[in-house]
Amino acid sequence: MTDTPLLSSLHLPEDIPGLSLPLKQELAQELRDTIIRVVTQNGGHLAPSLGVVELTIALLSCFDPARDPIVWDVGHQSYPWKLLTGRADRFDTLRRYGGLSGFPNRSESPYDYFGVGHASTSISAALGMAAARDLRGGKEHVVAVIGDGALSGGMALEALNQAGGMGNRLIVILNDNKMSISENTGALSRFLSRNLSHSTVMHIKQHVAKVLSRLPKGDSIVDIIRKGEVSFKSFFTPGMLFEAFQFNYIGPINGHDIAQLERHLEAAKKLDMPVLLHIRTRKGKGYAPAENDPSHFHGISASVADEISTPPQPSGWEPSGPGFSRAFGDALCELAERNPRLFAITAAMPDGTGLQTFHERFPERFADVGICEEHAVTFAAGLASRGYHPVVAIYSTFMQRAYDQIIHDVCLQNLPVTLCLDRAGLVGEDGPTHHGAFDLSWLRVVPNLVIGAPRDERALRDALAIAVSANGPVALRYPRGSGRKLDPSRFAYSGAFEDPGSYPPPGQGRLLLRGNARICVIAAGQRVFPCVEAALFTAEKTGLLASVFDACWVKPLPEEQILALAAENDALLLVEENSLLGGFSSAVLELLADRDCLGRLKIRRLGLPDRFIPHGPLRRLRADVGLNVSGIASALKSLLTASAHEKT
């Protein structure tokens, strides 16, 4: 690490408190240079981490990280923390397969006191740590660092309320950059943005003191006001909110001034009560592109090539469109032009879910509720109860937070709400906190809910049209990135391709490939196309072509078609990119068992195993769990071999 001589020379994190202020400022620049270099190569959360460089140095100057738990919310801001807590020599592996996680991870470092990846959890976790400390008579400090975007989450406000009521010694640092992923929305964000210049406040104080001092006992009154300066100040700053939660409010202060940060952190340490330190930072600080466009540079994609080679595959596949998110957004705009009762909702991610264009074209029928997934779903239920059809677009991993609302507020009342679960399945370098690995399992058990798994962008557009015309709740799950299309004429088995036609209604699927072997692959979602590839690849080697059936709908299943396929074939290969526990293949097995159709039928299942999948390139992760073309082909070959052995 020759380009960072100071960082490379330090014994971290122990040496940081002893550095002079000029050296700490030099260290801040080296941290930014390192983060920019690595993240622009590996991908990751660039702008958030650049904004907390000085704060991280100040925290490690004022606290002992070996004793004092420091809990980062979400973890988007954790890169300087990783660099300064003994991981600088491995920072080049950030988000790479087998390397450092993009989020705080308890198994990665003793300085990561709490694993995170979803927003608004830090205050709750830190309060639990503070309560545990007080129960055993400990003396350590406990610090939670939360952004203003994460503070909009109901869980954070619940934790503030509890912390103020309990009164445990706790420091909460509010990093206010007016941003979460996209620009923050809502009344709380506007309230936090209120600012009265220091000169104005001083002028008011001086004028009031001058007037009062002329009155009888005026000096005593002025003294009382000075003693109550924090409360006085709170009428002009967001402090009034946190004082109401029984927190001692300090701020707002410059979050890029190390000396000022250290001074206020030391003051906070001396208070035997909950303290909230409000700092103001600039997201992307020190990197002009990120400062000018913090939403775009919140998280950036890797420029590195995939780390695993691919097996020979049939030619003829191309991306099928602009990507699922973009296709969803465009399709919803088209539907909204014809249907004035469509309403779009997202939770702090209009860009990520493809809804930015909808927001621009139909602002009166769009709501970004912030990091409040539970509220988003119940808000949608309220709209649906009054004749509108809301479409709620949230990443699969974040929709988990609204499970209770999906059950009780939407499905129990059978309201026409469409739930669009973006990033379903594996997502790559963001890792286990962000993989959409479980949605089919937890959605399948909810009555009244229809579940679709479109295989590509065209299918998503058709499925969305079906969903928004339904009279009850529908969930659509689709992956990150683009689907795939093919030109059948370029394949040796072109005559085996079936015309899938338009997307079928719930309870029906589509046969995509009619084979000559008594084996059928039944798949759901975007793994359908690798199944077709694997069948073709295997046929080229063996002359035996398996059929491929796209279920299209996970609930209700295309029952009669699946039962017919079970009767026609000796073996079934069931494929999904969801947990094997309770997912699509479980639904098929339940159907076959309930109809007494298992018999001598050989069945093999491919999906996500019962463990958390780590971070890494999608191709590598899918190869690890057997969901790439090679893995599916291997499963097909084993079924072919087993079937041939039985016949002999």
Side-chain angles (χ1 to χ4, degrees):
M1 202 174 292
T2 56
D3 54 342
T4 54
L6 178 58
L7 180 62
S8 302
S9 68
L10 295 175
H11 185 255
L12 296 170
E14 292 83 356
D15 288 352
I16 294 175
L19 296 177
S20 65
L21 181 59
L23 283 177
K24 289 177 181 177
Q25 292 167 337
E26 181 182 338
L27 178 62
Q29 186 57 53
E30 289 191 2
L31 290 175
R32 284 197 167 90
D33 291 344
T34 303
I35 291 168
I36 292 167
R37 175 180 60 81
V38 172
V39 177
T40 52
Q41 177 71 12
N42 292 11
H45 294 98
L46 180 61
S49 287
L50 293 177
V52 297
V53 168
E54 288 83 7
L55 172 61
T56 307
I57 293 172
L59 285 168
L60 291 169
S61 297
C62 298
F63 297 94
D64 177 3
R67 187 186 78 138
D68 301 326
I70 295 175
V71 182
W72 294 88
D73 207 286
V74 188
H76 293 160
Q77 307 169 92
S78 64
Y79 297 171
W81 181 259
K82 289 177 181 285
L83 281 164
L84 294 178
T85 54
R87 287 167 276 184
D89 60 339
R90 293 185 289 147
F91 195 68
D92 281 0
T93 71
L94 181 74
R95 291 166 51 89
R96 303 294 295 272
Y97 186 77
L100 294 179
S101 167
F103 300 91
N105 188 323
R106 282 168 54 88
S107 65
E108 182 180 288
S109 168
Y111 299 111
D112 289 355
Y113 282 89
F114 201 75
V116 294
H118 291 191
S120 311
T121 63
S122 61
I123 304 175
S124 297
L127 179 59
M129 296 175 185
R133 172 203 61 205
D134 294 344
L135 284 170
R136 69 171 191 275
K139 301 297 182 183
E140 69 269 21
H141 299 283
V142 180
V143 182
V145 184
I146 186 168
D148 53 329
L151 191 67
S152 71
M155 185 175 176
L157 299 178
E158 292 168 7
L160 284 175
N161 181 56
Q162 181 70 19
M166 292 178 65
N168 298 80
R169 180 165 52 89
L170 173 69
I171 298 172
V172 175
I173 298 173
L174 170 59
N175 176 28
D176 180 3
N177 57 28
K178 303 181 184 179
M179 298 288 292
S180 48
I181 295 176
S182 300
E183 187 172 355
N184 285 332
T185 62
L188 181 59
S189 176
R190 289 194 296 270
F191 183 70
L192 291 174
S193 298
R194 289 174 56 193
N195 191 18
L196 210 58
S197 70
H198 181 69
S199 61
T200 302
V201 173
M202 290 300 297
H203 176 75
I204 293 173
K205 289 165 60 179
Q206 291 168 358
H207 178 71
V208 170
K210 185 176 181 180
V211 171
L212 291 177
S213 64
R214 296 172 182 167
L215 302 175
K217 298 186 178 180
D219 290 340
S220 298
I221 297 173
V222 170
D223 185 55
I224 291 172
I225 290 176
R226 282 175 176 159
K227 289 180 179 179
E229 181 177 338
V230 172
S231 296
F232 178 76
K233 177 180 64 176
S234 72
F235 283 97
F236 300 95
T237 72
M240 60 188 297
L241 170 66
F242 302 108
E243 296 281 343
F245 278 113
Q246 302 299 307
F247 272 72
N248 191 311
Y249 173 84
I250 301 174
I253 65 172
N254 182 357
H256 298 298
D257 185 325
I258 296 174
Q260 188 179 158
L261 284 167
E262 291 181 4
R263 186 167 63 253
H264 286 88
L265 286 171
E266 290 295 339
K269 288 167 61 176
K270 297 174 182 177
L271 296 173
D272 190 21
M273 64 179 298
V275 180
L276 188 133
L277 179 62
H278 182 185
I279 70 171
R280 291 263 172 84
T281 62
R282 185 173 181 84
K283 196 171 181 179
K285 175 72 173 177
Y287 185 55
E291 289 190 38
N292 295 332
D293 192 356
S295 291
H296 176 73
F297 284 92
H298 170 84
I300 60 176
S301 299
S303 62
V304 294
D306 280 343
E307 301 172 359
I308 185 170
S309 60
T310 56
Q313 298 178 13
S315 60
W317 298 102
E318 298 175 4
S320 59
F324 283 91
S325 301
R326 172 70 180 277
F328 159 73
D330 291 346
L332 191 61
C333 285
E334 293 175 11
L335 292 166
E337 288 177 350
R338 303 192 297 269
N339 185 350
R341 292 190 174 273
L342 284 184
F343 195 105
I345 302 169
T346 190
M349 304 196 75
D351 291 313
T353 57
L355 284 175
Q356 187 58 41
T357 301
F358 190 101
H359 178 204
E360 294 165 359
R361 292 180 58 182
F362 309 101
E364 74 286 353
R365 289 191 276 154
F366 172 83
D368 180 353
V369 302
I371 304 176
C372 305
E373 293 84 2
E374 302 98 317
H375 162 64
V377 172
T378 303
F379 173 54
L383 280 163
S385 73
R386 304 302 294 169
Y388 282 83
H389 192 115
V391 178
V392 184
I394 297 175
Y395 289 5
S396 170
T397 183
F398 302 134
M399 190 72 87
Q400 293 166 180
R401 295 184 143 197
Y403 192 35
D404 181 69
Q405 289 71 26
I406 291 171
I407 294 173
H408 292 111
D409 298 336
V410 174
C411 294
L412 181 61
Q413 303 183 88
N414 202 28
L415 291 169
V417 175
T418 295
L419 305 170
C420 293
L421 283 69
D422 200 327
R423 269 57 167 188
L426 301 176
V427 296
E429 287 81 3
D430 280 338
T433 60
H434 285 58
H435 294 321
F438 312 111
D439 52 75
L440 290 182
S441 301
W442 55 263
L443 286 172
R444 271 191 59 226
V445 301
V446 183
N448 292 336
L449 183 63
V450 172
I451 306 171
R455 62 186 172 269
D456 59 15
E457 291 92 333
R458 176 185 171 186
L460 173 59
R461 295 170 71 94
D462 292 348
L464 183 62
I466 294 170
V468 300
S469 65
N471 293 322
V474 178
L476 302 177
R477 58 109 64 176
Y478 46 92
R480 182 180 188 177
S482 299
R484 308 173 84 168
K485 65 181 179 181
L486 64 135
D487 177 4
S489 66
R490 297 170 61 182
F491 292 88
Y493 291 86
S494 59
F497 285 91
E498 297 283 325
D499 180 9
S502 61
Y503 205 73
Q508 295 184 29
R510 289 284 187 260
L511 187 69
L512 302 183
L513 197 65
R514 187 177 297 278
N516 57 20
R518 290 179 58 84
I519 292 178
C520 183
V521 184
I522 303 178
Q526 44 88 9
R527 289 292 88 191
V528 165
F529 287 118
C531 289
V532 174
E533 289 186 77
L536 293 166
F537 180 57
T538 304
E540 288 185 350
K541 301 294 185 181
T542 66
L544 296 173
L545 178 64
S547 299
V548 178
F549 181 77
D550 177 9
C552 297
W553 299 94
V554 176
K555 186 181 180 183
L557 282 173
E559 293 187 357
E560 297 309 315
Q561 290 169 298
I562 290 175
L563 292 172
L565 291 170
E568 295 168 5
N569 291 278
D570 299 324
L572 299 179
L573 176 62
L574 309 178
V575 182
E576 62 186 310
E577 193 164 291
N578 182 85
S579 172
L580 284 170
L581 299 180
F584 165 70
S585 62
S586 292
V588 175
L589 286 176
E590 291 162 14
L591 169 66
L592 296 175
D594 290 345
R595 298 293 186 91
D596 197 21
C597 294
L598 290 173
R600 292 174 56 82
L601 191 65
K602 288 191 175 297
I603 296 177
R604 174 82 180 272
R605 297 193 299 152
L606 293 179
L608 301 181
D610 184 23
R611 59 181 173 84
F612 290 105
I613 307 301
H615 65 277
L618 273 173
R619 290 171 63 195
R620 179 61 184 259
L621 299 182
R622 285 170 175 154
D624 284 351
V625 297
L627 284 174
N628 62 346
V629 173
S630 179
I632 298 168
S634 177
L636 273 176
K637 289 176 185 176
S638 68
L639 281 174
L640 286 168
T641 301
S643 296
H645 178 72
E646 276 203 354
K647 289 176 182 178
T648 59

